[in-house]
């Protein structure tokens, strides 16, 4: 299937058909007015505008340039009624000029000048100019994909959107995994033996509700398993015993030492420097 281009839609259709398009834009609102004369006026404006638009469209589509796949030939076809066709071999071209204005770069149109036998030939304001230039420079070896351009564009957008969604999904999963890892690290850090956590443990165990007597089996460890790990409870209880914060009598009952009355007494008997050495030796 040949690839085809023609004069850009602005120069070939909009500019020549500007007055019919203007009449159409003025006539359509009259068709929706509540006045009784609105519909006749709308018809008087819309019918000539449609005729003018059809004529502009017919003249615009009467000319085109095309390339056959695999063929190194530029085909020009012109004429709404009497059709004139001209073929220019790209292998016989002596010179070629591509011209684009700033607006042409934006709207993708330009002027092509070909120096060949029987020429030179010049076509102004051709549409799809970037594609046209690529085909000519490759001498017809490269051809754009076939099919509807709008469908190709929509397909490319869908593929791009799908790619972005996948990248966003992967990035979001990486963020979630990083957050989970950070939370896990923070949780593990907060549950590692520390002097502050030791003070909190001792305060809850020894000074809550002014309790002074505890079971020798230390069954309270289960009550604090939510806040402290089993290793922490074991280490903290061992420190309390080593520093004689809690003592046992001959009958096996465990008491808070009589010299310990407040948390400040506990801090004096278990200074932070000694606590750190004890934790390192226990671990």
């Amino acid at each position: 299937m040949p690839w085809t281009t023609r004069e850009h839609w602005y120069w070939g259709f909009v500019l020549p058909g500007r007055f019919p398009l203007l009449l159409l834009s003025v006539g359509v609102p009259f068709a929706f007015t509540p006045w009784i004369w609105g519909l006749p006026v709308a018809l008087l404006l819309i019918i000539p505008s449609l005729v003018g638009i059809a004529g502009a469209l017919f003249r615009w589509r009467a000319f085109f340039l095309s390339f056959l796949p695999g063929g190194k030939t530029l085909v020009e076809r012109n004429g709404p009624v009497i059709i004139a066709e001209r073929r220019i071999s790209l292998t016989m071209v002596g010179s070629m000029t591509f011209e684009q204005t700033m607006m042409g770069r934006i709207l993708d149109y330009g002027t092509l000048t070909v120096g060949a036998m029987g020429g030179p030939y010049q076509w102004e304001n051709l549409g799809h100019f970037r594609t046209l230039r690529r085909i000519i420079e490759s001498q017809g070896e490269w051809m754009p994909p076939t099919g509807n351009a709008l469908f190709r564009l929509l397909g490319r957008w869908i593929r791009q959107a799908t790619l972005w969604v996948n990248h966003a999904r992967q990035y979001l999963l990486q963020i979630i995994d990083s957050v989970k890892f950070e939370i896990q690290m923070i949780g593990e850090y907060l549950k590692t033996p520390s002097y502050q956590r030791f003070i909190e443990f001792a305060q809850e165990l020894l000074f809550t509700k002014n309790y002074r007597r505890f079971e020798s089996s230390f069954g309270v460890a289960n009550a604090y398993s939510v806040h402290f790990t089993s290793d922490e409870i074991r280490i903290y209880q061992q420190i309390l015993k080593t520093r004689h914060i809690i003592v046992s009598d001959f009958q096996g009952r465990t008491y808070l030492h009589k010299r310990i009355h407040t948390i400040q007494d506990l801090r004096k008997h278990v200074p932070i420097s000694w606590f750190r050495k004890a934790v390192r030796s226990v671990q």
Side-chain angles (χ1 to χ4, degrees), residues 61-183:
R61 297 185 65 85
F63 160 80
F64 64 83
L65 294 178
S66 65
F67 289 90
L68 294 174
K72 301 180 180 182
T73 304
L74 172 64
V75 179
E76 177 194 12
R77 190 172 180 179
N78 196 4
V81 179
I82 301 177
I83 300 174
E85 187 173 286
R86 180 165 47 192
R87 294 175 178 263
I88 302 172
S89 176
L90 297 179
T91 58
M92 302 298 292
V93 172
S95 63
M96 195 170 298
T97 305
F98 302 92
E99 299 179 12
Q100 276 187 292
T101 61
M102 182 62 67
M103 187 59 66
R105 292 179 180 275
I106 296 174
L107 297 180
D108 192 19
Y109 68 82
T111 299
L112 172 64
T113 304
V114 175
M117 186 178 296
Y121 306 100
Q122 187 177 67
W123 300 277
E124 297 181 348
N125 304 320
L126 293 174
H128 305 290
F129 198 71
R130 284 188 288 268
T131 304
L132 173 67
R133 180 169 185 172
R134 184 173 179 182
I135 294 174
I136 292 177
E137 289 179 343
S138 68
Q139 293 192 350
E141 296 295 333
W142 177 88
M143 295 293 290
T146 59
N148 188 280
L150 179 59
F151 290 160
R152 292 200 306 271
L153 181 62
L154 291 177
R156 185 163 60 250
W157 286 351
I158 292 173
R159 289 192 297 271
Q160 190 68 29
T162 303
L163 184 62
W164 287 345
V165 169
N166 289 334
H167 287 170
R169 175 176 169 274
Q170 294 176 1
Y171 183 68
L172 182 61
L173 290 177
Q174 291 177 358
I175 293 177
I176 294 174
D177 292 340
S178 299
V179 171
K180 288 182 179 179
F181 179 75
E182 292 295 334
I183 292 175

Side-chain angles (χ1 to χ4, degrees), residues 202-214 224 256 261:
Q203 188 171 6
E204 293 185 15
L205 183 66
L206 304 177
F207 301 103
T208 301
K209 298 182 180 179
N210 296 322
Y211 289 158
R212 293 294 185 266
R213 182 176 178 179
F214 305 91
Y224 293 92
L256 178 66
H261 300 285

Side-chain angles (χ1 to χ4, degrees), residues 11-51:
W11 293 95
F13 174 68
V14 175
L15 196 60
R18 58 189 181 277
F19 293 115
L21 291 172
L22 179 61
L23 288 177
L24 182 64
S25 63
V26 173
V28 169
F30 277 104
F32 298 96
T33 58
W35 305 310
I36 191 172
W37 49 267
L39 185 57
V41 172
L43 292 176
L44 289 174
L45 295 175
I46 292 176
I47 292 175
S49 66
L50 292 178
V51 173

Side-chain angles (χ1 to χ4, degrees), residues 216 247-255:
S216 58
V247 294
S248 300
D249 57 13
F250 294 105
Q251 298 177 351
R253 293 175 298 182
T254 303
Y255 295 92

